[in-house]
Amino acid sequence: MTAQRTWTGRWVAERAGVGLVGSDHLPDLVGLALRENRKRAHLLVSTVLGKHVPQRPSVVHGAGLDLGLRVRALLGAEAAARAVVLGYAETATALGHSVADGLDAPCLHSTRRPVPGVRPLGGFAEEHSHATAHLLLPADPRLLAGDGPLVLVDDELSTGTTVLNTIRELHARHPRSHYVLVALVDLRTEADRHRLADFAAELGVRLDLVATASGAVRLPGDILDRAERLIADVGPAPELPPAAAPAPLVRVPLDWPTALPDGGRHGFTPADRARLDAALPRLAGQLADALGGGLGGGLGGGLGDGDGGGGGLVGELPDRILVLGFEELMYAPLRLAGALADRLGGDRVRYSTTTRSPVLAVDDPGYAIRTRLAFPAHDDPQDDAPRERYVYNVAPGADPDRRFDAVVLVVDDVADTAALAEGERALLTQLRQVTDRVVLAVLPSYRPEAPVHPSLPFPEPSAFPEPLAFPEPLAFPQPLAFPQPLRGPGFSSYRPDEVAWLLKDLSGVPLEAPTEEREEAVQHGGAHYAESLPVEYRPSPEYQELYHQALRASARRMAVAVGTVAETLLRERGRGLVLASLARAGTPVGILVRRWLAFAHGFDAPHYAVSIVRGRGLDPVALRYLAAHHHAPGVVFVDGWTGKGAITRELAAALAGTSFDPGLAVLADPGRCVRTYGTRDDFLIPSACLNSTVSGLVSRTVLRGDLIGPDDFHGAKHYTELADGDVSAAFLDTVAGHFAAVRDEVALAAGRLATDPDRTPDWAGWAAVERIAAEYGIGSVNLVKPGVGETTRVLLRRVPWRVLARRGAGADLDHVRLLAAQRGVPVEEVDDLPYTCVGLIHPRYSRGATGASGTAVVGEA
């Protein structure tokens, strides 16, 4: 018969009269201890938090991941994509991170450490705590300024007062409609529950709760006096017995990724998480070497400073290893512990952290805090911060089986001071008395740059508030106001969840001009081509049949390209990626990439359509919108194909000086000017054959000063009158219908691309265009449109001069030949053409006409 495990709250329950009632598994999640704090006598000691009780890292991380997945299910994919997680210092910093991991959301945690040069954007009080003041120090002030759900994470909800203080503070500055409270245990009384519910009703907000367990703590009326007597009776923790020889100390210079935050003090995004995930195996190898395992390349002596004693390190792996974090620095050590456990195998690794909380230690199996080491603060604490810090359950006490063979202490460089190692009571000195090996790993403390996006309009540093005494509120910068995105069916024929258009609806404005008039304007100066629209081409029955033939022939190949791009983006950007397609040709591609991610990986990536205009750049209001609602480095710009690379260059110029990645992702890159592509072959993407009827019934984008103000998105029209010929949904469904059949092929193609050393753009397409322009006496490369897609556009929208076709090109050009015949344009077969075909716009077209605005327009992309 297996012995029943002793509940680690029994000692307090029997002697102090404290009772714990609630969920059946509540005793498995928490034990009890007594605080040395007259504000609150008892302490709930979590067994899965990784703070006071060493625990398997998979259990600690898994507890938060599970809560995050539950929050995601509660919110739904669209709301979850806009959520932000806020964890509480110091105990819930890793828990907040882990919830954000499960939710796939950015996160921030409060902090009690002021950071020189970073002004607080807010703060609140945790009234029962030993250290009450919390600061909010996001590197990007927009992190807390959005209107999506705010997820507040703490290890326990005891009264709800801290949450109430937080919501009151943040809501006054940046109101939102939905808050979610997340905790391992909810132990509020009915009165506290009603108080928080009434507060939410007063604000007019939705307030949800997700908790692992719930219950209540029953306290006697004289609990403070009882606790004080018990603490006096137990007396101070015994001194450590002198060790025969101090354990060896090895300092490991971890190869931490440059500029990767060491935690969420200033914000931590899904893109940061992806970088950390990629680095963890390498970092775990370094720790394994330091522990003597020889699994990461050998000990060698390249591990930094060694401090003698104990006979030195050997190649034998310890059986019991503790990875010990430092106060708020919980998440990075937790993930390091998990990676080390995965690398070493077995059940060797546990994880916990140091703390500021003074707690009584009683070496009894029925008490949650068995042993305590008290040591001087080593991180240059502020004048009002406690000068003594603690680590619990690391010394073995009376039970030798609880002894750790090795301790890996992880601190940041701010805490790597002389006080950490020098003196009898220093933390490292004491750790070397209770274990056989000590490894010190120091991470660079992340210091954010300001402003994060220097090209965007942010308040100057002087606009941010000075730190104030808590709990007096701190001022926030005013939120940025944006127009609302457009969605179908009100704008476009796409489903509302497929794409959000960052555009202004100009459907009621007459903007169309005949093709000949627009061409005259394009070539002879004046206003810009984006100030008018071509008349939408209505395909003949013969041409429609060619489109359907092309779709049937190309759908599978296109599905492979979509999957290859999606898998590449997921591998390189992580699950935090946000799709921004270049309207309109890129939009069906963005939708298909989003569908692949949902099909193959079960998550819904946010997807926006944005306008880019050659010579004018990317819509700046749309760019600010994306930066305000998402982590800029996680945004991926998507288009259908490249020609000579003009839009690639335009995008890079528009994003210079921002934190957005200027890389463009396309299905086909015959111009060889991007790194992320499905293929570099010049093949027919059938959506190029049509205009709005394959692009959600949306026009090209429009930029005209009398229609688009400084705070407006660029504009476009929704052609509802063309609905009878709309094939947008059928196009998407046809391509997506091949996803299951090409999954293995995609895996091979994406794998080849990942290892391809030749992905660097060489701009061979641009060089070819310059050669063709010179050969045919064309004065501007803008009149040379290479590739099947661009040639099709020439024939549909411009005044074509001739088409160059690679000799022997087959069915991919059937629709080009038909359009050319309809417009009386010669098709010239050419040898050694790097593209399947090239469309040449008439270089000297003049009709003396103007565009719809009454003025001339200049060069088109």
Side-chain angles (χ1 to χ4, degrees):
M1 179 183 236
T2 303
Q4 186 174 4
R5 188 174 63 86
T6 302
W7 178 46
T8 57
R10 186 197 62 193
W11 192 94
V12 173
E14 292 176 350
R15 289 165 175 79
V18 177
L20 188 66
V21 296
S23 305
D24 290 343
H25 60 297
L26 188 58
D28 295 327
L29 294 175
V30 293
L32 292 171
L34 296 178
R35 299 174 184 260
E36 296 177 359
N37 180 352
R38 285 292 297 179
K39 295 178 181 179
R40 181 187 290 179
H42 71 285
L43 174 70
L44 290 172
V45 181
S46 172
T47 62
V48 299
L49 185 64
K51 173 54 71 174
H52 305 92
V53 178
Q55 179 58 273
R56 294 176 181 86
S58 60
V59 172
V60 178
H61 194 213
L65 284 174
D66 178 68
L67 288 167
L69 291 171
R70 290 172 59 191
V71 174
R72 184 174 183 83
L74 169 73
L75 295 178
E78 185 172 356
R82 297 164 52 234
V84 175
V85 175
L86 175 61
Y88 288 98
E90 70 179 42
T91 54
T93 58
L95 180 63
H97 268 285
S98 301
V99 169
D101 289 353
L103 184 55
D104 195 26
C107 68
L108 175 76
H109 69 68
S110 65
T111 181
R112 295 186 176 114
R113 179 200 284 180
V115 177
V118 182
R119 296 175 184 266
L121 296 188
F124 48 88
E126 186 178 11
E127 295 168 2
H128 67 266
S129 177
H130 61 282
T132 61
H134 288 248
L135 299 170
L136 298 177
L137 304 177
D140 187 338
R142 295 165 300 192
L143 184 63
L144 296 174
D147 58 1
L150 182 62
V151 182
L152 301 150
V153 181
D154 210 349
D155 55 313
E156 66 173 271
L157 289 176
S158 51
T159 66
T161 300
T162 303
V163 166
L164 189 150
N165 288 341
T166 308
I167 295 176
R168 177 186 288 118
E169 175 69 27
L170 297 180
H171 196 80
R173 310 298 175 181
H174 300 290
R176 64 187 74 226
S177 61
H178 194 179
Y179 295 88
V180 182
L181 312 184
V182 177
L184 291 171
V185 292
D186 176 19
L187 299 174
R188 292 171 297 156
T189 65
E190 280 301 311
D192 288 328
R193 294 171 192 267
H194 287 307
R195 179 169 63 109
L196 200 55
D198 291 343
F199 174 68
E202 177 185 334
L203 293 182
V205 301
R206 175 181 170 185
L207 186 62
D208 289 313
L209 170 72
V210 176
T212 305
S214 61
V217 180
R218 308 298 187 203
L219 300 174
D222 60 346
I223 180 59
L224 292 176
D225 293 334
R226 292 192 189 198
E228 191 170 24
R229 289 194 298 270
L230 285 169
I231 291 171
D233 290 344
V234 172
E239 296 292 326
L240 288 174
L249 170 63
V250 175
R251 178 185 291 268
V252 182
L254 283 181
D255 185 19
W256 190 256
T258 303
L260 176 66
D262 56 323
R265 180 178 289 117
H266 305 295
F268 196 87
T269 70
D272 295 328
R273 187 178 306 124
R275 290 188 65 204
L276 176 60
D277 288 345
L280 283 173
R282 181 182 72 254
L283 299 172
Q286 291 183 274
L287 294 179
D289 275 354
L291 289 166
L295 299 179
L299 286 169
L303 291 171
D305 300 333
D307 193 357
L313 289 177
V314 296
E316 180 181 339
L317 275 172
D319 288 326
R320 280 176 51 83
I321 301 165
L322 176 68
V323 176
L324 184 64
F326 159 62
E327 295 184 27
E328 294 174 10
L329 184 65
M330 295 184 68
Y331 180 68
L334 169 62
R335 299 300 310 279
L336 287 169
L340 182 63
D342 291 342
R343 187 177 189 91
L344 299 184
D347 189 26
R348 300 174 185 269
V349 180
R350 297 294 184 271
Y351 158 81
S352 65
T353 58
T354 66
T355 178
R356 296 186 179 197
S357 300
V359 183
L360 175 71
V362 179
D363 197 358
D364 185 290
Y367 188 82
I369 303 296
R370 299 283 297 274
T371 62
R372 154 174 147 166
L373 301 179
F375 54 92
H378 53 91
D379 61 342
D380 189 23
Q382 301 300 299
D383 290 340
D384 60 345
R387 294 283 168 171
E388 191 168 62
R389 309 295 167 81
Y390 310 92
V391 61
Y392 299 109
N393 294 317
V394 174
D399 184 357
D401 290 339
R402 298 174 62 248
R403 190 176 192 276
F404 289 102
D405 301 317
V407 175
V408 178
L409 175 62
V410 183
V411 301
D412 61 13
D413 53 15
V414 173
D416 184 22
T417 63
L420 178 63
E422 297 177 4
E424 292 183 358
R425 296 185 65 246
L427 176 58
L428 283 174
T429 302
Q430 295 191 66
L431 290 177
R432 295 175 69 190
Q433 296 180 60
V434 299
T435 188
D436 298 329
R437 312 178 187 185
V438 176
V439 173
L440 175 63
V442 181
L443 307 182
S445 181
Y446 179 65
R447 295 164 177 84
E449 298 178 0
V452 175
H453 301 283
S455 66
L456 300 180
F458 275 85
E460 293 298 320
S462 60
F464 292 109
E466 293 290 346
L468 302 175
F470 291 96
E472 184 174 354
L474 296 172
F476 285 75
Q478 292 300 310
L480 301 172
F482 296 101
Q484 289 300 305
L486 303 174
R487 294 182 182 271
F491 186 87
S492 89
S493 60
Y494 291 132
R495 297 197 318 256
D497 63 307
E498 301 261 46
V499 59
W501 300 85
L502 301 187
L503 296 173
K504 181 178 181 179
D505 190 354
L506 300 178
S507 298
V509 181
L511 292 166
E512 291 75 13
T515 299
E516 290 78 7
E517 292 184 8
R518 295 187 78 249
E519 194 59 53
E520 160 68 17
V522 163
Q523 295 192 34
H524 291 275
H528 197 278
Y529 80 90
E531 294 184 354
S532 67
L533 291 172
V535 176
E536 280 289 309
Y537 171 70
R538 291 179 179 265
S540 65
E542 183 182 9
Y543 187 81
Q544 289 184 41
E545 178 54 32
L546 276 179
Y547 160 76
H548 288 295
Q549 289 178 11
L551 179 59
R552 288 191 292 271
S554 300
R556 179 186 174 92
R557 187 176 185 183
M558 191 172 174
V560 173
V562 167
T564 302
V565 169
E567 294 297 328
T568 301
L569 291 175
L570 186 62
R571 184 186 66 253
E572 296 182 349
R573 303 291 188 95
R575 295 176 69 92
L577 66 88
V578 175
L579 301 171
S581 60
L582 302 183
R584 69 185 168 184
T587 302
V589 175
I591 293 174
L592 285 167
V593 170
R594 182 178 183 273
R595 286 193 181 187
W596 178 276
L597 293 171
F599 156 76
H601 301 282
F603 80 96
D604 297 322
H607 176 214
Y608 301 90
V610 300
S611 170
I612 188 168
V613 177
R614 196 169 60 81
R616 299 285 182 84
L618 197 66
D619 182 344
V621 179
L623 194 63
R624 290 197 296 270
Y625 181 97
L626 291 171
H629 291 79
H630 299 282
H631 182 59
V635 176
V636 180
F637 293 91
V638 178
D639 208 355
W641 57 86
T642 63
K644 57 183 171 287
I647 290 299
T648 307
R649 291 186 174 186
E650 193 73 49
L651 182 67
L655 299 179
T658 75
S659 292
F660 288 93
D661 188 328
L664 182 64
V666 298
L667 296 190
D669 178 37
R672 299 183 65 87
C673 54
V674 301
R675 292 191 74 257
T676 304
Y677 50 85
T679 179
R680 278 184 163 156
D681 295 338
D682 182 18
F683 82 100
L684 173 61
I685 295 175
S687 56
C689 297
L690 300 173
N691 285 331
S692 66
T693 53
V694 77
S695 303
L697 299 179
V698 174
S699 74
R700 295 197 61 177
T701 58
V702 174
L703 180 58
R704 205 170 88 187
D706 61 327
L707 298 174
I708 307 299
D711 297 321
D712 290 333
F713 296 134
H714 290 185
K717 299 182 72 168
H718 178 200
Y719 292 119
T720 55
E721 65 272 21
L722 300 180
D724 59 343
D726 186 21
V727 295
S728 304
F731 170 75
L732 297 173
D733 292 343
T734 300
V735 176
H738 289 274
F739 282 175
V742 302
R743 193 165 192 166
D744 292 343
E745 190 175 347
V746 165
L748 291 173
R752 284 194 299 269
L753 190 63
T755 58
D756 185 359
D758 195 30
R759 288 175 62 187
T760 303
D762 59 18
W763 295 87
W766 194 281
V769 166
E770 290 179 329
R771 176 177 56 78
I772 292 169
E775 183 177 341
Y776 284 84
I778 298 173
S780 171
V781 293
N782 293 331
L783 301 181
V784 180
K785 301 293 185 179
V788 179
E790 293 302 303
T791 302
T792 304
R793 287 177 165 185
V794 169
L795 292 166
L796 290 176
R797 303 175 189 165
R798 305 293 293 271
V799 177
W801 182 34
R802 65 183 67 188
V803 172
L804 308 181
R806 187 167 58 207
R807 194 178 306 281
D812 273 359
L813 294 189
D814 284 351
H815 75 292
V816 169
R817 295 187 181 95
L818 176 60
L819 284 175
Q822 289 177 346
R823 300 201 61 182
V825 177
V827 177
E828 179 181 332
E829 290 200 341
V830 178
D831 294 317
D832 301 323
L833 194 65
Y835 296 90
T836 303
C837 62
V838 176
L840 305 182
I841 297 170
H842 203 297
R844 286 171 292 277
Y845 188 84
S846 176
R847 189 167 174 265
T850 60
S853 66
T855 58
V857 263
V858 191
E860 183 174 3

